[in-house]
Amino acid sequence: MTGLTHIGPDGRARMVDVGDKDVTERVAIAHGRVHMDPETLKLALGRDTKKGDPIAIAELAGIMAAKRTSDLIPLCHPLPLSSVNVEIEPDTEANTLVVTARVKTSGRTGVEMEALTAVSAACLTLYDMLKAVDKAMRIDAVELLEKTGGKSGDYRKTGT
């Protein structure tokens, strides 16, 4: 189990000690997709349902979730986030809403989990807002696209 920093030498889960790490600017970008029927996409893009504007509400849910990541993921450190941006854009050819989150901090550990949590919560909120008309929606492709800063260096997803 080498390389798994959340597992101690005794095999027990542990919160990693980041106290000796340098404070650096860290950014993470993640995305995910919500596939739906064409009529559901049209409804979402109209931004006016009985529950309100699904896109605006989902973007807000993503921001709120990023701020609460350490409450949801047991071994994540609580981080002072300096920026969280969640954007939802349509891919009309694929009948999909694409959720992208960009999270930034200056700290001793990265914000990959915050970006992934923001995307996941926004996707789930879109599902919740639109499920009355389309229970067959599918959430997929939640993944880290990019991260910068920290000891491990930069990462950028390559390929598809």
PDB file of all heavy atoms in Angstrom, residues 44-58:
ATOM      1  N   ALA A  44     -34.484  22.938 -18.607  1.00  0.00           N
ATOM      2  CA  ALA A  44     -33.394  23.455 -17.767  1.00  0.00           C
ATOM      3  C   ALA A  44     -32.846  24.764 -18.329  1.00  0.00           C
ATOM      4  O   ALA A  44     -32.594  25.717 -17.581  1.00  0.00           O
ATOM      5  CB  ALA A  44     -32.273  22.422 -17.658  1.00  0.00           C
ATOM      6  N   LEU A  45     -32.678  24.812 -19.638  1.00  0.00           N
ATOM      7  CA  LEU A  45     -32.125  26.013 -20.269  1.00  0.00           C
ATOM      8  C   LEU A  45     -33.112  27.175 -20.243  1.00  0.00           C
ATOM      9  O   LEU A  45     -32.712  28.330 -20.350  1.00  0.00           O
ATOM     10  CB  LEU A  45     -31.684  25.711 -21.697  1.00  0.00           C
ATOM     11  CG  LEU A  45     -30.514  24.728 -21.806  1.00  0.00           C
ATOM     12  CD1 LEU A  45     -30.200  24.420 -23.268  1.00  0.00           C
ATOM     13  CD2 LEU A  45     -29.283  25.244 -21.069  1.00  0.00           C
ATOM     14  N   GLY A  46     -34.396  26.868 -20.068  1.00  0.00           N
ATOM     15  CA  GLY A  46     -35.394  27.926 -19.891  1.00  0.00           C
ATOM     16  C   GLY A  46     -35.259  28.604 -18.543  1.00  0.00           C
ATOM     17  O   GLY A  46     -35.761  29.702 -18.332  1.00  0.00           O
ATOM     18  N   ARG A  47     -34.574  27.923 -17.622  1.00  0.00           N
ATOM     19  CA  ARG A  47     -34.214  28.449 -16.298  1.00  0.00           C
ATOM     20  C   ARG A  47     -35.418  28.875 -15.464  1.00  0.00           C
ATOM     21  O   ARG A  47     -35.298  29.731 -14.597  1.00  0.00           O
ATOM     22  CB  ARG A  47     -33.195  29.571 -16.438  1.00  0.00           C
ATOM     23  CG  ARG A  47     -31.909  29.091 -17.122  1.00  0.00           C
ATOM     24  CD  ARG A  47     -30.894  30.169 -17.271  1.00  0.00           C
ATOM     25  NE  ARG A  47     -30.254  30.418 -15.997  1.00  0.00           N
ATOM     26  CZ  ARG A  47     -28.956  30.290 -15.770  1.00  0.00           C
ATOM     27  NH1 ARG A  47     -28.144  29.884 -16.726  1.00  0.00           N
ATOM     28  NH2 ARG A  47     -28.451  30.572 -14.585  1.00  0.00           N
ATOM     29  N   ASP A  48     -36.570  28.232 -15.723  1.00  0.00           N
ATOM     30  CA  ASP A  48     -37.765  28.580 -14.960  1.00  0.00           C
ATOM     31  C   ASP A  48     -38.615  27.329 -14.774  1.00  0.00           C
ATOM     32  O   ASP A  48     -39.431  26.991 -15.623  1.00  0.00           O
ATOM     33  CB  ASP A  48     -38.554  29.665 -15.697  1.00  0.00           C
ATOM     34  CG  ASP A  48     -39.774  30.128 -14.913  1.00  0.00           C
ATOM     35  OD1 ASP A  48     -39.778  29.991 -13.672  1.00  0.00           O
ATOM     36  OD2 ASP A  48     -40.719  30.615 -15.546  1.00  0.00           O
ATOM     37  N   THR A  49     -38.397  26.622 -13.659  1.00  0.00           N
ATOM     38  CA  THR A  49     -39.213  25.458 -13.330  1.00  0.00           C
ATOM     39  C   THR A  49     -40.012  25.780 -12.069  1.00  0.00           C
ATOM     40  O   THR A  49     -39.825  26.833 -11.460  1.00  0.00           O
ATOM     41  CB  THR A  49     -38.332  24.213 -13.066  1.00  0.00           C
ATOM     42  OG1 THR A  49     -37.637  24.389 -11.834  1.00  0.00           O
ATOM     43  CG2 THR A  49     -37.344  23.974 -14.210  1.00  0.00           C
ATOM     44  N   LYS A  50     -40.875  24.860 -11.673  1.00  0.00           N
ATOM     45  CA  LYS A  50     -41.663  25.071 -10.454  1.00  0.00           C
ATOM     46  C   LYS A  50     -40.765  25.246  -9.231  1.00  0.00           C
ATOM     47  O   LYS A  50     -41.146  25.907  -8.271  1.00  0.00           O
ATOM     48  CB  LYS A  50     -42.627  23.905 -10.238  1.00  0.00           C
ATOM     49  CG  LYS A  50     -43.762  23.882 -11.230  1.00  0.00           C
ATOM     50  CD  LYS A  50     -44.692  22.713 -10.961  1.00  0.00           C
ATOM     51  CE  LYS A  50     -45.808  22.697 -11.992  1.00  0.00           C
ATOM     52  NZ  LYS A  50     -46.740  21.585 -11.785  1.00  0.00           N
ATOM     53  N   LYS A  51     -39.579  24.649  -9.264  1.00  0.00           N
ATOM     54  CA  LYS A  51     -38.641  24.756  -8.141  1.00  0.00           C
ATOM     55  C   LYS A  51     -37.709  25.961  -8.279  1.00  0.00           C
ATOM     56  O   LYS A  51     -36.935  26.223  -7.377  1.00  0.00           O
ATOM     57  CB  LYS A  51     -37.792  23.489  -8.034  1.00  0.00           C
ATOM     58  CG  LYS A  51     -38.544  22.272  -7.569  1.00  0.00           C
ATOM     59  CD  LYS A  51     -37.570  21.111  -7.399  1.00  0.00           C
ATOM     60  CE  LYS A  51     -38.222  19.896  -6.806  1.00  0.00           C
ATOM     61  NZ  LYS A  51     -37.251  18.809  -6.591  1.00  0.00           N
ATOM     62  N   GLY A  52     -37.726  26.635  -9.417  1.00  0.00           N
ATOM     63  CA  GLY A  52     -36.822  27.767  -9.640  1.00  0.00           C
ATOM     64  C   GLY A  52     -35.871  27.495 -10.795  1.00  0.00           C
ATOM     65  O   GLY A  52     -36.091  26.600 -11.596  1.00  0.00           O
ATOM     66  N   ASP A  53     -34.805  28.266 -10.871  1.00  0.00           N
ATOM     67  CA  ASP A  53     -33.802  28.155 -11.928  1.00  0.00           C
ATOM     68  C   ASP A  53     -32.845  27.012 -11.586  1.00  0.00           C
ATOM     69  O   ASP A  53     -31.998  27.154 -10.701  1.00  0.00           O
ATOM     70  CB  ASP A  53     -33.043  29.479 -12.040  1.00  0.00           C
ATOM     71  CG  ASP A  53     -31.953  29.474 -13.099  1.00  0.00           C
ATOM     72  OD1 ASP A  53     -31.551  28.382 -13.570  1.00  0.00           O
ATOM     73  OD2 ASP A  53     -31.482  30.574 -13.443  1.00  0.00           O
ATOM     74  N   PRO A  54     -32.946  25.872 -12.269  1.00  0.00           N
ATOM     75  CA  PRO A  54     -32.125  24.718 -11.890  1.00  0.00           C
ATOM     76  C   PRO A  54     -30.629  24.966 -12.056  1.00  0.00           C
ATOM     77  O   PRO A  54     -29.831  24.459 -11.266  1.00  0.00           O
ATOM     78  CB  PRO A  54     -32.612  23.600 -12.814  1.00  0.00           C
ATOM     79  CG  PRO A  54     -33.291  24.287 -13.938  1.00  0.00           C
ATOM     80  CD  PRO A  54     -33.817  25.579 -13.407  1.00  0.00           C
ATOM     81  N   ILE A  55     -30.256  25.746 -13.039  1.00  0.00           N
ATOM     82  CA  ILE A  55     -28.833  25.985 -13.281  1.00  0.00           C
ATOM     83  C   ILE A  55     -28.250  26.883 -12.190  1.00  0.00           C
ATOM     84  O   ILE A  55     -27.205  26.575 -11.606  1.00  0.00           O
ATOM     85  CB  ILE A  55     -28.618  26.552 -14.692  1.00  0.00           C
ATOM     86  CG1 ILE A  55     -28.969  25.461 -15.718  1.00  0.00           C
ATOM     87  CG2 ILE A  55     -27.188  27.057 -14.881  1.00  0.00           C
ATOM     88  CD1 ILE A  55     -28.962  25.891 -17.157  1.00  0.00           C
ATOM     89  N   ALA A  56     -28.913  27.981 -11.885  1.00  0.00           N
ATOM     90  CA  ALA A  56     -28.409  28.880 -10.839  1.00  0.00           C
ATOM     91  C   ALA A  56     -28.361  28.179  -9.485  1.00  0.00           C
ATOM     92  O   ALA A  56     -27.390  28.336  -8.731  1.00  0.00           O
ATOM     93  CB  ALA A  56     -29.285  30.133 -10.761  1.00  0.00           C
ATOM     94  N   ILE A  57     -29.387  27.404  -9.178  1.00  0.00           N
ATOM     95  CA  ILE A  57     -29.427  26.716  -7.893  1.00  0.00           C
ATOM     96  C   ILE A  57     -28.334  25.653  -7.821  1.00  0.00           C
ATOM     97  O   ILE A  57     -27.671  25.498  -6.783  1.00  0.00           O
ATOM     98  CB  ILE A  57     -30.833  26.139  -7.637  1.00  0.00           C
ATOM     99  CG1 ILE A  57     -31.825  27.294  -7.456  1.00  0.00           C
ATOM    100  CG2 ILE A  57     -30.835  25.203  -6.426  1.00  0.00           C
ATOM    101  CD1 ILE A  57     -33.276  26.875  -7.462  1.00  0.00           C
ATOM    102  N   ALA A  58     -28.100  24.925  -8.898  1.00  0.00           N
ATOM    103  CA  ALA A  58     -27.050  23.901  -8.917  1.00  0.00           C
ATOM    104  C   ALA A  58     -25.657  24.537  -8.804  1.00  0.00           C
ATOM    105  O   ALA A  58     -24.779  23.990  -8.125  1.00  0.00           O
ATOM    106  CB  ALA A  58     -27.159  23.057 -10.182  1.00  0.00           C
TER     107      ALA A  58
END
